[in-house]
Each structure stands twice: as structure tokens, then as C-alpha cells.
């Protein structure tokens, strides 16, 4: 089966969202791509329809853009 | 363990997003709430921080708002 891909860019307020996603989805079904570190994958992400991060590209090609926003805790 | 809760309101363009989420997260770790059908749960969702649907409330209390947008296929 094709894996889901979680795209992010390492923004501190999104790390919690990433951890939540990884806790929920079995490890063998998801790949994580850090677009800040892996800049050669930005074009691929864009081609897949990713408009903002974090975003989850599902195995069937849908892109779920996630607006986590900032947790109050992260702003303290 | 507390389950994640996927809140939605049955909008046709979001059904695909829902199915994707349910395919990725093991069934025993997620509950689905249709706020259109279960209006008594709207207040709970609001209290948990849900501002729009679809949204995923994670077991640790974060709310991931999902912007699926409309797939071109759904608009044909």
C-alpha cells in the first residue's frame, strides 16, 4: 500500500501536531518529510497539491491541510 | 487510552477526507461525531476548541483543523 506523507517545516508550534499524527497513524503507513531540511522535495509536494504545512498527503492523493494554530502553551 | 475524535458535518466534499482519516487511524483509536446529526455535541466540540469542521481532536486535547478544500473531482 502507498504510504501517507506528512509534510512539515519544523515550525515549533507544529511539532505537537506532528507528534499527535504520528501517535495515531501506524508507523508503517506514514512517512514524514521536513520541507525545511529536504528542499529538493518542495517541488514534489507542490505537484501533489500541498499549499501550506503541515499537510497530510493521503495514499489516494488527497491533501489534508492542517491548521493547528498555536497552542496557548506554546506561546507562554 | 483516550480516543481521537473526528468531528464533521457531512458535507459531501469532506466525506473523502473522512474516509482517508479512517483508513489511516486504527478504528479503536478514533470516534466519529457528525455534528449535523448530533447537535447536542456541538457545545462539547466548541468547548474542546473546534472552530470549523472537519477537525480532529487528538487524545491529548489538541484540535487539528483540516482544510480539505474541494477536490476537482467533486466539482464535476
Amino acid at each position: 500500500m502507498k504510504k501517507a506523507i506528512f509534510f512539515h517545516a519544523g515550525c515549533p508550534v507544529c511539532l505537537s501536531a506532528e507528534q499527535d499524527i504520528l501517535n495515531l497513524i501506524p508507523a508503517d503507513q506514514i512517512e514524514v518529510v521536513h520541507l525545511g531540511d529536504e528542499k529538493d522535495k518542495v517541488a514534489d509536494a507542490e505537484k501533489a497539491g500541498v499549499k501550506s504545512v503541515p499537510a497530510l498527503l493521503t495514499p489516494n492523493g488527497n491533501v489534508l491541510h492542517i491548521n493547528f494554530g498555536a497552542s496557548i502553551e506554546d506561546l507562554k
Side-chain angles (χ1 to χ4, degrees), chain A:
Chain A
M1 201 184 90
K2 259 181 94 176
K3 287 187 183 186
I5 305 177
F6 182 74
F7 290 102
H8 71 122
C11 53
V13 295
C14 299
L15 292 182
S16 174
E18 179 186 354
Q19 203 48 60
D20 288 341
I21 293 281
L22 297 184
N23 282 344
L24 289 168
I25 299 177
D28 61 349
Q29 287 185 41
I30 188 162
E31 186 185 333
V32 175
V33 172
H34 185 313
L35 291 176
D37 290 343
E38 302 174 76
K39 290 197 181 295
D40 56 315
K41 294 194 175 164
V42 172
D44 290 346
E46 215 169 12
K47 205 171 154 190
V50 173
K51 307 280 188 204
S52 62
V53 288
L56 185 67
L57 174 63
T58 68
N60 62 10
N62 284 333
V63 180
L64 309 179
H65 293 99
I66 298 167
N67 277 332
F68 172 60
S71 151
I72 293 295
E73 286 305 312
D74 293 322
L75 298 173
K76 280 180 185 168

